[in-house]
mmCIF file of all heavy atoms in Angstrom:
data_model
loop_
_atom_site.group_PDB
_atom_site.id
_atom_site.type_symbol
_atom_site.label_atom_id
_atom_site.label_comp_id
_atom_site.label_asym_id
_atom_site.label_seq_id
_atom_site.Cartn_x
_atom_site.Cartn_y
_atom_site.Cartn_z
ATOM 1 N N ARG A 12 -62.446 65.190 20.851
ATOM 2 C CA ARG A 12 -63.276 64.897 22.024
ATOM 3 C C ARG A 12 -64.046 66.158 22.445
ATOM 4 O O ARG A 12 -65.246 66.088 22.757
ATOM 5 C CB ARG A 12 -62.368 64.421 23.162
ATOM 6 C CG ARG A 12 -63.089 64.211 24.492
ATOM 7 C CD ARG A 12 -63.778 62.873 24.576
ATOM 8 N NE ARG A 12 -64.512 62.747 25.835
ATOM 9 C CZ ARG A 12 -63.955 62.454 27.012
ATOM 10 N NH1 ARG A 12 -62.637 62.221 27.083
ATOM 11 N NH2 ARG A 12 -64.704 62.359 28.087
ATOM 12 N N VAL A 13 -63.374 67.281 22.451
ATOM 13 C CA VAL A 13 -64.031 68.546 22.800
ATOM 14 C C VAL A 13 -65.166 68.836 21.825
ATOM 15 O O VAL A 13 -66.253 69.262 22.223
ATOM 16 C CB VAL A 13 -63.010 69.707 22.794
ATOM 17 C CG1 VAL A 13 -63.723 71.045 22.947
ATOM 18 C CG2 VAL A 13 -61.984 69.529 23.911
ATOM 19 N N ARG A 14 -64.913 68.578 20.528
ATOM 20 C CA ARG A 14 -65.935 68.844 19.510
ATOM 21 C C ARG A 14 -67.130 67.922 19.677
ATOM 22 O O ARG A 14 -68.288 68.362 19.667
ATOM 23 C CB ARG A 14 -65.338 68.671 18.117
ATOM 24 C CG ARG A 14 -66.274 69.106 16.987
ATOM 25 C CD ARG A 14 -65.707 68.754 15.633
ATOM 26 N NE ARG A 14 -65.659 67.314 15.452
ATOM 27 C CZ ARG A 14 -66.711 66.558 15.144
ATOM 28 N NH1 ARG A 14 -67.907 67.104 14.983
ATOM 29 N NH2 ARG A 14 -66.577 65.248 15.011
ATOM 30 N N GLN A 15 -66.864 66.635 19.833
ATOM 31 C CA GLN A 15 -67.955 65.664 19.925
ATOM 32 C C GLN A 15 -68.799 65.858 21.193
ATOM 33 O O GLN A 15 -70.027 65.718 21.157
ATOM 34 C CB GLN A 15 -67.388 64.244 19.895
ATOM 35 C CG GLN A 15 -66.828 63.826 18.550
ATOM 36 C CD GLN A 15 -66.294 62.403 18.571
ATOM 37 O OE1 GLN A 15 -66.195 61.777 19.628
ATOM 38 N NE2 GLN A 15 -65.952 61.886 17.397
ATOM 39 N N GLU A 16 -68.153 66.185 22.281
ATOM 40 C CA GLU A 16 -68.877 66.370 23.544
ATOM 41 C C GLU A 16 -69.634 67.699 23.573
ATOM 42 O O GLU A 16 -70.510 67.900 24.421
ATOM 43 C CB GLU A 16 -67.905 66.315 24.725
ATOM 44 C CG GLU A 16 -67.201 64.986 24.908
ATOM 45 C CD GLU A 16 -68.135 63.909 25.437
ATOM 46 O OE1 GLU A 16 -69.250 64.251 25.878
ATOM 47 O OE2 GLU A 16 -67.760 62.721 25.394
ATOM 48 N N GLY A 17 -69.297 68.586 22.664
ATOM 49 C CA GLY A 17 -69.984 69.873 22.615
ATOM 50 C C GLY A 17 -69.584 70.825 23.736
ATOM 51 O O GLY A 17 -70.304 71.790 24.024
ATOM 52 N N TRP A 18 -68.398 70.608 24.337
ATOM 53 C CA TRP A 18 -67.967 71.500 25.425
ATOM 54 C C TRP A 18 -67.759 72.921 24.940
ATOM 55 O O TRP A 18 -67.920 73.871 25.699
ATOM 56 C CB TRP A 18 -66.675 70.973 26.049
ATOM 57 C CG TRP A 18 -66.812 69.613 26.673
ATOM 58 C CD1 TRP A 18 -67.969 69.037 27.137
ATOM 59 C CD2 TRP A 18 -65.771 68.659 26.891
ATOM 60 N NE1 TRP A 18 -67.724 67.792 27.635
ATOM 61 C CE2 TRP A 18 -66.369 67.519 27.505
ATOM 62 C CE3 TRP A 18 -64.404 68.628 26.642
ATOM 63 C CZ2 TRP A 18 -65.638 66.389 27.861
ATOM 64 C CZ3 TRP A 18 -63.665 67.502 27.004
ATOM 65 C CH2 TRP A 18 -64.280 66.407 27.603
ATOM 66 N N TRP A 19 -67.431 73.056 23.673
ATOM 67 C CA TRP A 19 -67.149 74.385 23.109
ATOM 68 C C TRP A 19 -68.381 75.288 23.129
ATOM 69 O O TRP A 19 -68.262 76.506 22.987
ATOM 70 C CB TRP A 19 -66.622 74.240 21.683
ATOM 71 C CG TRP A 19 -67.441 73.335 20.811
ATOM 72 C CD1 TRP A 19 -67.306 71.993 20.656
ATOM 73 C CD2 TRP A 19 -68.564 73.710 20.000
ATOM 74 N NE1 TRP A 19 -68.258 71.492 19.796
ATOM 75 C CE2 TRP A 19 -69.040 72.537 19.368
ATOM 76 C CE3 TRP A 19 -69.205 74.913 19.732
ATOM 77 C CZ2 TRP A 19 -70.118 72.531 18.496
ATOM 78 C CZ3 TRP A 19 -70.278 74.934 18.862
ATOM 79 C CH2 TRP A 19 -70.726 73.752 18.254
ATOM 80 N N ARG A 20 -69.566 74.711 23.309
ATOM 81 C CA ARG A 20 -70.781 75.534 23.361
ATOM 82 C C ARG A 20 -70.933 76.274 24.701
ATOM 83 O O ARG A 20 -71.791 77.125 24.833
ATOM 84 C CB ARG A 20 -72.022 74.662 23.133
ATOM 85 C CG ARG A 20 -72.159 74.110 21.726
ATOM 86 C CD ARG A 20 -73.543 73.514 21.509
ATOM 87 N NE ARG A 20 -73.722 73.035 20.159
ATOM 88 C CZ ARG A 20 -73.454 71.801 19.756
ATOM 89 N NH1 ARG A 20 -72.998 70.920 20.639
ATOM 90 N NH2 ARG A 20 -73.623 71.432 18.502
ATOM 91 N N GLU A 21 -70.117 75.936 25.674
ATOM 92 C CA GLU A 21 -70.226 76.539 27.002
ATOM 93 C C GLU A 21 -69.485 77.874 27.041
ATOM 94 O O GLU A 21 -68.267 77.919 26.845
ATOM 95 C CB GLU A 21 -69.639 75.594 28.058
ATOM 96 C CG GLU A 21 -70.310 74.242 28.118
ATOM 97 C CD GLU A 21 -69.588 73.310 29.069
ATOM 98 O OE1 GLU A 21 -68.844 73.814 29.947
ATOM 99 O OE2 GLU A 21 -69.762 72.082 28.929
ATOM 100 N N ALA A 22 -70.209 78.940 27.273
ATOM 101 C CA ALA A 22 -69.571 80.252 27.414
ATOM 102 C C ALA A 22 -68.668 80.234 28.643
ATOM 103 O O ALA A 22 -69.042 79.720 29.693
ATOM 104 C CB ALA A 22 -70.625 81.344 27.557
ATOM 105 N N GLY A 23 -67.478 80.777 28.503
ATOM 106 C CA GLY A 23 -66.559 80.834 29.625
ATOM 107 C C GLY A 23 -65.780 79.554 29.847
ATOM 108 O O GLY A 23 -65.136 79.395 30.895
ATOM 109 N N LEU A 24 -65.831 78.624 28.899
ATOM 110 C CA LEU A 24 -65.064 77.386 29.031
ATOM 111 C C LEU A 24 -63.581 77.715 29.215
ATOM 112 O O LEU A 24 -63.031 78.544 28.497
ATOM 113 C CB LEU A 24 -65.257 76.525 27.779
ATOM 114 C CG LEU A 24 -64.575 75.155 27.778
ATOM 115 C CD1 LEU A 24 -65.272 74.209 28.750
ATOM 116 C CD2 LEU A 24 -64.557 74.580 26.360
ATOM 117 N N SER A 25 -62.942 77.051 30.171
ATOM 118 C CA SER A 25 -61.539 77.330 30.461
ATOM 119 C C SER A 25 -60.669 76.108 30.197
ATOM 120 O O SER A 25 -61.167 74.970 30.091
ATOM 121 C CB SER A 25 -61.362 77.783 31.902
ATOM 122 O OG SER A 25 -61.638 76.713 32.796
ATOM 123 N N LEU A 26 -59.379 76.339 30.129
ATOM 124 C CA LEU A 26 -58.425 75.251 29.936
ATOM 125 C C LEU A 26 -58.502 74.253 31.092
ATOM 126 O O LEU A 26 -58.438 73.034 30.882
ATOM 127 C CB LEU A 26 -57.008 75.819 29.835
ATOM 128 C CG LEU A 26 -55.884 74.812 29.604
ATOM 129 C CD1 LEU A 26 -55.957 74.243 28.205
ATOM 130 C CD2 LEU A 26 -54.516 75.469 29.838
ATOM 131 N N SER A 27 -58.673 74.761 32.304
ATOM 132 C CA SER A 27 -58.760 73.866 33.464
ATOM 133 C C SER A 27 -60.013 72.985 33.389
ATOM 134 O O SER A 27 -59.977 71.817 33.790
ATOM 135 C CB SER A 27 -58.749 74.670 34.763
ATOM 136 O OG SER A 27 -59.862 75.542 34.820
ATOM 137 N N ASP A 28 -61.117 73.541 32.855
ATOM 138 C CA ASP A 28 -62.339 72.738 32.680
ATOM 139 C C ASP A 28 -62.073 71.560 31.748
ATOM 140 O O ASP A 28 -62.448 70.412 32.042
ATOM 141 C CB ASP A 28 -63.470 73.585 32.091
ATOM 142 C CG ASP A 28 -63.936 74.688 33.034
ATOM 143 O OD1 ASP A 28 -63.812 74.502 34.253
ATOM 144 O OD2 ASP A 28 -64.424 75.721 32.526
ATOM 145 N N VAL A 29 -61.437 71.838 30.626
ATOM 146 C CA VAL A 29 -61.169 70.789 29.635
ATOM 147 C C VAL A 29 -60.186 69.768 30.186
ATOM 148 O O VAL A 29 -60.371 68.551 30.021
ATOM 149 C CB VAL A 29 -60.642 71.417 28.330
ATOM 150 C CG1 VAL A 29 -60.162 70.334 27.365
ATOM 151 C CG2 VAL A 29 -61.724 72.260 27.671
ATOM 152 N N ALA A 30 -59.135 70.236 30.858
ATOM 153 C CA ALA A 30 -58.142 69.305 31.414
ATOM 154 C C ALA A 30 -58.787 68.375 32.435
ATOM 155 O O ALA A 30 -58.499 67.164 32.460
ATOM 156 C CB ALA A 30 -57.005 70.101 32.058
ATOM 157 N N ARG A 31 -59.666 68.908 33.260
ATOM 158 C CA ARG A 31 -60.328 68.079 34.266
ATOM 159 C C ARG A 31 -61.212 67.021 33.601
ATOM 160 O O ARG A 31 -61.236 65.861 34.029
ATOM 161 C CB ARG A 31 -61.165 68.973 35.180
ATOM 162 C CG ARG A 31 -61.801 68.226 36.346
ATOM 163 C CD ARG A 31 -62.562 69.151 37.278
ATOM 164 N NE ARG A 31 -63.699 69.781 36.631
ATOM 165 C CZ ARG A 31 -63.726 71.055 36.218
ATOM 166 N NH1 ARG A 31 -62.676 71.824 36.385
ATOM 167 N NH2 ARG A 31 -64.807 71.554 35.631
ATOM 168 N N ARG A 32 -61.928 67.386 32.559
ATOM 169 C CA ARG A 32 -62.815 66.436 31.890
ATOM 170 C C ARG A 32 -62.030 65.388 31.108
ATOM 171 O O ARG A 32 -62.516 64.263 30.898
ATOM 172 C CB ARG A 32 -63.764 67.182 30.968
ATOM 173 C CG ARG A 32 -64.738 68.092 31.721
ATOM 174 C CD ARG A 32 -65.539 68.973 30.808
ATOM 175 N NE ARG A 32 -66.283 69.968 31.573
ATOM 176 C CZ ARG A 32 -67.091 70.889 31.022
ATOM 177 N NH1 ARG A 32 -67.267 70.897 29.705
ATOM 178 N NH2 ARG A 32 -67.720 71.765 31.790
ATOM 179 N N LEU A 33 -60.841 65.771 30.650
ATOM 180 C CA LEU A 33 -59.992 64.811 29.943
ATOM 181 C C LEU A 33 -59.152 63.986 30.906
ATOM 182 O O LEU A 33 -58.384 63.120 30.469
ATOM 183 C CB LEU A 33 -59.073 65.540 28.961
ATOM 184 C CG LEU A 33 -59.737 66.218 27.762
ATOM 185 C CD1 LEU A 33 -58.727 67.039 26.984
ATOM 186 C CD2 LEU A 33 -60.391 65.178 26.855
ATOM 187 N N ALA A 34 -59.282 64.297 32.220
ATOM 188 C CA ALA A 34 -58.527 63.584 33.261
ATOM 189 C C ALA A 34 -57.028 63.697 33.030
ATOM 190 O O ALA A 34 -56.289 62.712 33.107
ATOM 191 C CB ALA A 34 -58.959 62.122 33.330
ATOM 192 N N THR A 35 -56.599 64.911 32.743
ATOM 193 C CA THR A 35 -55.172 65.139 32.505
ATOM 194 C C THR A 35 -54.764 66.474 33.096
ATOM 195 O O THR A 35 -55.535 67.117 33.817
ATOM 196 C CB THR A 35 -54.849 65.073 30.996
ATOM 197 O OG1 THR A 35 -53.424 65.148 30.814
ATOM 198 C CG2 THR A 35 -55.511 66.221 30.243
ATOM 199 N N ASN A 36 -53.547 66.907 32.791
ATOM 200 C CA ASN A 36 -52.974 68.131 33.340
ATOM 201 C C ASN A 36 -53.165 69.287 32.368
ATOM 202 O O ASN A 36 -53.125 69.098 31.146
ATOM 203 C CB ASN A 36 -51.476 67.889 33.602
ATOM 204 C CG ASN A 36 -50.808 69.030 34.305
ATOM 205 O OD1 ASN A 36 -50.471 70.037 33.685
ATOM 206 N ND2 ASN A 36 -50.625 68.886 35.603
ATOM 207 N N GLU A 37 -53.369 70.504 32.916
ATOM 208 C CA GLU A 37 -53.517 71.688 32.061
ATOM 209 C C GLU A 37 -52.315 71.877 31.144
ATOM 210 O O GLU A 37 -52.457 72.272 29.982
ATOM 211 C CB GLU A 37 -53.701 72.945 32.919
ATOM 212 C CG GLU A 37 -54.998 72.988 33.693
ATOM 213 C CD GLU A 37 -55.064 74.196 34.597
ATOM 214 O OE1 GLU A 37 -54.495 75.245 34.231
ATOM 215 O OE2 GLU A 37 -55.671 74.103 35.679
ATOM 216 N N SER A 38 -51.135 71.613 31.668
ATOM 217 C CA SER A 38 -49.923 71.790 30.861
ATOM 218 C C SER A 38 -49.922 70.859 29.657
ATOM 219 O O SER A 38 -49.481 71.237 28.559
ATOM 220 C CB SER A 38 -48.677 71.525 31.717
ATOM 221 O OG SER A 38 -48.584 72.456 32.766
ATOM 222 N N TYR A 39 -50.434 69.626 29.836
ATOM 223 C CA TYR A 39 -50.484 68.691 28.726
ATOM 224 C C TYR A 39 -51.474 69.148 27.652
ATOM 225 O O TYR A 39 -51.201 69.056 26.452
ATOM 226 C CB TYR A 39 -50.871 67.292 29.219
ATOM 227 C CG TYR A 39 -49.796 66.592 30.015
ATOM 228 C CD1 TYR A 39 -50.090 65.436 30.737
ATOM 229 C CD2 TYR A 39 -48.491 67.083 30.035
ATOM 230 C CE1 TYR A 39 -49.111 64.789 31.469
ATOM 231 C CE2 TYR A 39 -47.510 66.442 30.768
ATOM 232 C CZ TYR A 39 -47.821 65.298 31.486
ATOM 233 O OH TYR A 39 -46.856 64.658 32.214
ATOM 234 N N VAL A 40 -52.636 69.607 28.091
ATOM 235 C CA VAL A 40 -53.627 70.084 27.120
ATOM 236 C C VAL A 40 -53.069 71.275 26.345
ATOM 237 O O VAL A 40 -53.206 71.356 25.114
ATOM 238 C CB VAL A 40 -54.944 70.461 27.827
ATOM 239 C CG1 VAL A 40 -55.957 70.972 26.793
ATOM 240 C CG2 VAL A 40 -55.519 69.279 28.578
#
């Protein structure tokens, strides 16, 4: 999902950013 959405292109991407977009918890990610 991260690859397809292209989130990895964002400089400074954080674990909390990804967890929020996946609608889940940071610990789970």
Side-chain angles (χ1 to χ4, degrees):
R12 174 82 183 281
V13 171
R14 188 187 67 78
Q15 290 181 351
E16 297 288 348
W18 298 336
W19 49 271
R20 291 192 177 91
E21 301 174 21
L24 183 71
S25 68
L26 181 70
S27 61
D28 294 332
V29 172
R31 185 177 64 256
R32 294 172 189 180
L33 293 173
T35 187
N36 186 281
E37 293 176 32
S38 297
Y39 289 168
V40 179

